[in-house]
Amino acid sequence: VDVLFSDSSSLDYSRYPRKCEFWVNATHPDLDDAGRSKGRAGRVISPRHTLAPNTTCTYHFRGHPRDHVWLYFVSYSHLALLPNTSHNCSTRLRIWDGGGALLGDHCDGPRLCDHTSLRNVTRVTRPCSLGESYVTRTSSLLVQHQSDEGTALHPASFRLKYEFVDTHLGGEPWPGRRGEDPPPQPCSRIFRRVKSGQIKSPRNVFLYGRGGAANLSCVYRVEAGAG
């Protein structure tokens, strides 16, 4: 007999038989080794215990107002040990942007970015592309995993990773000088009539690095007020 222990306060254990609901907040108070909030990025594993028939597990992802949610599935498995007695979509996965837009509705499994499972301390894999992941236009995302037959005889499991992407840039967009070619990058900003403050490089990974361009040039223009 195999015995599997699961942390009752983790995201892979549903405390209530019929209410399988989890919340992932970017404001998680604990910090990781790099000094970042643990809520900013992490992974979610489907419940390790069996689920009763007609159970829907709901995952709420909530970020800061200027965040976007980047989510991708590392693995997804659905195996029916008995013939399906209801319909062809007895296990269903749906993903919504916080604004109400449906990002995915799957019976056979979501987009996968499974090559990330090969990443370790000695191997670096390429970032997940937009075609292998889900990105919101708002600061929240909702995932629902529905099982009509239950998971005792129709096992279904998944592993996903998420990241709250900070899109805040500060200042206002800098349109560049008239007739300038090429136009400034989206990260170029202008700061008008401010006595003091801070200018920081972008934290949006879709502009450069893992999710964007290999090279990025940003222009920052500061204009003082009259007098």
Side-chain angles (χ1 to χ4, degrees), residues 47-178:
R48 300 188 181 189
H49 54 84
T50 57
L51 298 173
N54 299 315
T55 297
T56 298
C57 288
T58 304
Y59 300 83
H60 305 266
F61 295 83
R62 295 288 185 268
H64 294 294
R66 294 187 179 92
D67 285 343
H68 289 179
V69 188
W70 185 11
L71 180 145
Y72 50 91
F73 287 83
V74 178
S75 65
Y76 185 90
S77 174
H78 175 219
L79 177 64
L81 302 181
L82 290 178
N84 185 357
T85 59
S86 57
H87 50 81
N88 293 329
C89 193
S90 61
T91 300
R92 188 175 187 180
L93 176 70
R94 286 179 288 185
I95 305 167
W96 285 275
D97 187 305
L102 183 64
L103 301 180
D105 188 350
H106 308 285
C107 293
D108 298 325
R111 308 168 193 166
L112 285 179
C113 187
D114 48 3
H115 69 268
T116 58
S117 61
L118 302 175
R119 184 182 305 163
N120 55 37
V121 294
T122 61
R123 181 188 294 118
V124 177
T125 59
R126 65 171 176 81
C128 299
S129 67
L130 294 180
E132 298 170 319
S133 53
Y134 302 87
V135 180
T136 67
R137 293 182 177 272
T138 65
S139 60
S140 60
L141 179 141
L142 179 73
V143 176
Q144 281 192 339
H145 193 233
Q146 174 185 338
S147 176
D148 292 346
E149 304 283 350
T151 60
L153 297 177
H154 294 262
S157 63
F158 62 82
R159 291 174 58 229
L160 64 83
K161 293 185 178 181
Y162 67 89
E163 182 173 346
F164 293 100
V165 179
D166 186 353
T167 64
H168 179 57
L169 294 173
E172 305 170 24
W174 166 239
R177 298 179 179 86
R178 182 177 300 177

Side-chain angles (χ1 to χ4, degrees), residues 28-40:
H28 194 292
D30 295 338
L31 302 178
D32 60 15
D33 295 336
R36 298 170 301 186
S37 170
K38 286 185 177 180
R40 299 296 301 174

